[in-house]
Amino acid sequence: MNPARADHRVDARAKVTGALRYGVDRAPDDLAYAAFAVATINRGRVLDVDTTAAQRVPGVQVVITRIDRDELGSQGFVMSGGYGFQSFQPLVGDQIAYRGQPIALVVADTLVAATEAAELVTARYAEEPFAVTLDGPGAETLVQAQAIPLPMTEDLAVGDADRAFAAAPVQVDVEIHGPPQHQVPMELISSVVRWRGDTLVIHEGSQNSGAIQHGVAQQLGIDPATVEMISPPVGGGFGQKNSLQPHIGPLAVAARRVGRPVKLVLTRTQVFHQASFRPASRHRVRVGADSSGRLLAAIHEIDQQTSRQDLFPALYTEVSSRLYGITNFRGLQRLVRTDVQTPGYMRAPFEHIATFAMESAVDQVAYATGQDPVALRLANDADRDPVTGLPFSSRHVAECLRRGAKRFGWADRTPQPRSMRAADGSLVGWGVAIGAYPGSTCPAVAVLCVDGSGTVSVAVTGHEMGQGISTAVARLVAGDLGVEPDAVRLDLADSRRTPQVLTAGSWGTATALPAVHAALRELRRQLGVPDTGPVDLRGAVAASGRPEVEVRASNLGAGQDASAMDRIRNGTLAFAGPAYPDFVTFSYAAHFVEVRIAPLTGQIRVPRVVSVADCGRVASPVTAASQLRGGVIWGIGAALREQSEVDPRYGGFLNASYEGYPIAVNADIHQIDVDFVDEPDPRINPVGVKGLGEISMVGVAAAVVNAVYHATGTRFTRLPIHIEDVLPVL
Ligand code: MOS
């Protein structure tokens, strides 16, 4: 196979043949099975747990209802130097912080016995009032900049946004609502945990092996070097698997007590209640413009849900301040404490909804000023970062817009709302939106080894969640050395080989590839071969007189020092960007969407989408195209399908299953045409790659809603748009 072949994906064969092994596929002998019994109230204290019936189920080994703090210490909160997606640890006290929280852990010889026993556990509670919505009684609103006094969480302000808005001839004022949502990856939250002597071995699909390794070591009071955390390919993460989950500590305790490996797979409903989710948020956006559509001012104020126990930060204005060259901007981010598990990152966590808010307002400016929505966006592009005044390392959003408009045939659009109809009478709407996503980087370590047979193996900081990082790494190595990608052995996300940091924030490939690139330079130096061009690896290793040549190299983000590497060696967060010392980095996209709304039923279909992304150099064309299409589908789901339903009387989530939580399915998806600017960004790293995983969906929901406006003349401000919302305005 030609190494340069762009349509090859190294894990494709294993995936389609079912040979790929996920975390809990690694079943050791003598496996025991665990299941949780969960709280049936939303807040209060558990008075007593009755395990009598559960203990009688044949095959039950142990039922754990309480673990001493001595045995299971604190994991901390990932956003404040800890390891957990939340600081709260069930089973170590009597507090019930949210519905669905574990109150007992059953371990049995079979899955059936564990499940049956868990269902037989009952409890008595002392209930307390709770709030699960932004406006619920008892929800507590905090100004984030005061509650979390960190540079990252400060409110952005440049120029005088209030004065400029007040003086603007055209004013748009919109309040938009983003619902809570769940990631629902195919692979459930699950682990196999076993003790090999004093060493704890964990097999779990995770985006952050380092946090699990160090976090569980801290909880158990053991040396992190005695925790082996192996995260084989992950069956989808999307932010939900990005730190230590609170089931792992209790599972390790249980495995020690029963002296056997233990496997736990949370049920889908339990995942909705025990793992992080996208919090509800409400946005007021005011945008001022002159009569030609030049954007003069923007004010973006946010209320975002968090939990009682932790402050999950709201970082929306980082992107809303940079979508355009607006020199008067003010942000205000508030957090609302509610009685839920701590929310967290979900693919394009802030950018998706912040962009929906901004791009709804900007679209209104286009209609109010009689400007074409594409032309207005091009005219307001930024030539440098309006927040810091620094240059962008690269910014090709205008090219995304121009190329997308051409591919979509935007010139044929008639501007008036309700002016386009299909032959069957459907209202047709064409909408556009842009997106931006911060370009972050983490420290990474790569180990390259070539043996006497010429086989190359690579271990690197990074997790494969299906996004294509393995193909990108294999292609870089193969292309550099002149071998075939399939000949490159990959070892990702293995804490035994290299330190592991969170793979998220769209920094995975932009973090791993520069380290691999540095290792390739070092390998060539040690082999004594030129710095470029194909290498006769067998010959070079033979000439070295060594059985194999192994090199190790690391890479830091621009402006990072050795302390960042120390942080990742301890399993804590250490990302740089999007503002670096000399420049600011974002990835960009432009999405063009056609909607058709059926005249009688109000059914909204999306027959075609054109998306063009600027992610720097495209490291792997086939997986990049797949990422971009996947992001578009994710955005269509966000616009038209996905919402975690909350009933303030009961708490928890009502539609906690695949049947109840509709995601976009094949029948919802039609033509998605994707393209890339593919301009390397040499300032962000020597490979020239920026992020892609999340920019792929940023702006999609906005483009859908803008298209629905064009079709109906009605602007929807709540996601998702349902048929019953559209029927009255047909
Ligand atoms: Mo992603 S939501 O940064 O895992």
Side-chain angles (χ1 to χ4, degrees):
M1 200 204 77
N2 174 357
R5 224 178 86 183
D7 63 352
H8 185 68
R9 148 165 219 155
V10 295
D11 48 1
R13 178 179 297 272
K15 280 196 164 175
V16 295
T17 57
L20 205 70
R21 306 276 299 260
Y22 290 90
V24 295
D25 294 342
R26 322 230 165 197
D29 293 338
D30 197 28
L31 191 60
Y33 296 82
F36 277 131
V38 301
T40 55
I41 65 163
N42 198 76
R43 187 181 179 185
R45 284 181 310 117
V46 60
L47 300 175
D48 50 62
V49 182
D50 186 348
T51 64
T52 321
Q55 305 268 13
R56 282 202 204 108
V57 174
V60 166
Q61 298 292 313
V62 64
V63 183
I64 297 172
T65 59
R66 192 62 60 84
I67 303 173
D68 281 349
R69 263 286 171 214
D70 300 349
E71 201 175 358
L72 192 63
S74 168
Q75 72 276 31
F77 176 43
V78 69
M79 295 311 292
S80 52
Y83 302 104
F85 89 78
Q86 64 178 9
S87 59
F88 179 75
Q89 175 63 58
L91 297 175
V92 295
D94 65 355
Q95 188 194 347
I96 302 296
Y98 45 88
R99 180 178 288 274
Q101 165 195 323
I103 56 165
L105 177 64
V106 179
V107 180
D109 291 335
T110 64
L111 176 61
V112 171
T115 306
E116 185 184 340
E119 284 171 1
L120 292 171
V121 172
T122 57
R124 287 193 313 121
Y125 304 96
E127 285 196 61
E128 293 166 17
F130 58 84
V132 288
T133 60
L134 292 174
D135 300 311
E140 182 195 0
T141 300
L142 310 167
V143 172
Q144 171 169 281
Q146 293 159 10
I148 320 174
L150 291 174
M152 182 175 99
T153 47
E154 269 170 21
D155 282 322
L156 292 175
V158 286
D160 188 339
D162 292 274
R163 207 173 63 180
F165 177 77
V170 177
Q171 298 179 347
V172 168
D173 188 343
V174 60
E175 182 176 289
I176 79 103
H177 297 255
Q181 293 180 326
H182 282 75
Q183 293 88 341
V184 294
M186 290 282 282
E187 182 192 36
L188 294 156
I189 302 277
S190 48
S191 325
V192 170
V193 168
R194 70 186 162 98
W195 289 90
R196 193 184 64 231
D198 288 335
T199 298
L200 178 64
V201 184
I202 304 169
H203 294 276
E204 163 152 341
S206 173
Q207 297 171 241
N208 196 347
S209 306
I212 293 181
Q213 179 197 3
H214 291 270
V216 79
Q218 175 174 304
Q219 284 194 289
L220 297 171
I222 60 177
D223 181 352
T226 64
V227 179
E228 293 180 2
M229 169 60 203
I230 303 138
S231 177
V234 182
F238 312 119
Q240 193 171 53
K241 294 172 181 155
N242 74 6
S243 35
L244 177 66
Q245 310 280 340
H247 70 273
I248 297 177
L251 208 60
V253 169
R256 189 154 54 191
R257 288 200 197 163
V258 300
R260 285 164 68 176
V262 180
K263 172 174 172 173
L264 174 71
V265 182
L266 297 189
T267 66
R268 181 65 65 187
T269 300
Q270 288 177 352
V271 174
F272 268 82
H273 294 98
Q274 295 182 30
S276 65
F277 64 101
R278 189 198 299 283
S281 65
R282 176 170 51 210
H283 304 246
R284 183 178 180 198
V285 173
R286 279 168 282 175
V287 172
D290 70 14
S291 56
S292 73
R294 193 164 66 89
L295 302 175
L296 304 172
I299 303 167
H300 187 185
E301 298 174 327
I302 300 111
D303 293 297
Q304 180 202 264
Q305 174 181 34
T306 187
S307 65
R308 278 300 161 197
Q309 53 271 14
D310 300 305
L311 297 173
F312 175 64
L315 305 174
Y316 298 91
T317 56
E318 182 172 77
V319 67
S320 52
S321 59
R322 265 93 172 210
L323 275 183
Y324 295 102
I326 304 177
T327 50
N328 297 289
F329 181 91
R330 178 172 69 74
L332 174 61
Q333 305 185 112
R334 289 175 294 240
L335 300 175
V336 183
R337 286 191 191 270
T338 60
D339 299 291
V340 292
Q341 75 267 36
T342 301
Y345 294 89
M346 173 164 157
R347 194 179 193 182
F350 312 107
E351 299 75 13
H352 146 62
I353 206 81
T355 299
F356 168 49
M358 271 300 281
E359 285 290 80
S360 293
V362 167
D363 215 52
Q364 288 190 49
V365 172
Y367 285 97
T369 57
Q371 299 293 310
D372 173 77
V374 173
L376 178 128
R377 285 170 168 84
L378 284 170
N380 282 288
D381 194 12
D383 56 3
R384 56 182 40 240
D385 176 34
V387 175
T388 60
L390 292 168
F392 289 111
S393 59
S394 64
R395 178 174 169 114
H396 302 292
V397 66
E399 178 59 15
C400 293
L401 275 166
R402 280 192 287 265
R403 230 189 256 197
K406 199 164 167 206
R407 286 178 91 109
F408 190 81
W410 184 260
D412 295 336
R413 177 180 181 267
T414 56
Q416 194 61 28
R418 305 184 75 94
S419 63
M420 292 170 72
R421 268 190 202 267
D424 68 355
S426 293
L427 287 164
V428 175
W430 288 5
V432 63
I434 60 168
Y437 191 91
S440 301
T441 351
C442 291
V445 176
V447 179
L448 267 181
C449 183
V450 188
D451 67 17
S453 74
T455 303
V456 193
S457 61
V458 192
V460 66
T461 306
H463 301 72
E464 173 65 86
M465 295 99 76
Q467 81 275 38
I469 190 171
S470 352
T471 301
V473 169
R475 277 180 58 83
L476 182 67
V477 174
D480 190 280
L481 298 174
V483 300
E484 299 197 355
D486 284 331
V488 180
R489 289 209 195 126
L490 296 168
D491 202 354
L492 274 70
D494 188 336
S495 71
R496 298 170 299 187
R497 299 296 311 278
T498 54
Q500 291 302 325
V501 69
L502 172 62
T503 302
S506 294
W507 63 56
T509 300
T511 290
L513 291 194
V516 174
H517 175 82
L520 283 163
R521 307 278 71 72
E522 177 62 17
L523 178 71
R524 285 172 172 275
R525 207 182 59 76
Q526 291 208 15
L527 291 175
V529 299
D531 208 43
T532 55
V535 181
D536 168 15
L537 289 170
R538 274 171 73 158
V541 173
S544 77
R546 292 188 258 169
E548 58 179 36
V549 177
E550 182 174 289
V551 298
R552 197 176 178 87
S554 59
N555 185 66
L556 295 169
Q560 285 191 316
D561 60 27
S563 70
M565 188 60 83
D566 292 342
R567 289 209 294 284
I568 80 154
R569 288 189 194 286
N570 291 321
T572 52
L573 279 175
F575 62 92
Y580 296 91
D582 302 322
F583 54 82
V584 172
T585 302
F586 280 79
S587 292
Y588 302 93
H591 304 283
F592 293 79
V593 168
E594 174 173 321
V595 298
R596 290 187 179 217
I597 306 180
L600 286 177
T601 63
Q603 184 195 30
I604 306 173
R605 286 180 302 122
V606 182
R608 64 192 187 103
V609 179
V610 171
S611 293
V612 183
D614 161 24
C615 60
R617 177 180 150 189
V618 174
S620 158
V622 69
T623 56
S626 179
Q627 275 278 56
L628 188 43
R629 279 193 295 268
V632 170
I633 293 167
W634 191 262
I636 291 172
L640 301 175
R641 293 285 180 271
E642 296 182 43
Q643 172 167 20
S644 303
E645 303 279 356
V646 173
D647 186 324
R649 293 170 299 173
Y650 306 110
F653 297 98
L654 298 176
N655 55 335
S657 68
Y658 263 138
E659 303 88 83
Y661 184 93
I663 58 171
V665 298
N666 282 345
D668 297 310
I669 302 305
H670 303 275
Q671 193 189 346
I672 301 174
D673 176 27
V674 301
D675 193 16
F676 296 90
V677 175
D678 200 6
E679 279 285 338
D681 182 332
R683 298 185 77 175
I684 186 68
N685 58 56
V687 189
V689 293
K690 304 193 280 188
L692 175 61
E694 299 178 80
I695 187 57
S696 61
M697 72 99 50
V698 179
V700 175
V704 171
V705 174
N706 291 345
V708 170
Y709 177 79
H710 183 236
T712 64
T714 298
R715 186 154 294 278
F716 292 94
T717 56
R718 263 173 211 277
L719 296 182
I721 305 178
H722 293 296
I723 285 175
E724 58 268 32
D725 305 324
V726 173
L727 276 175
V729 303
L730 286 182

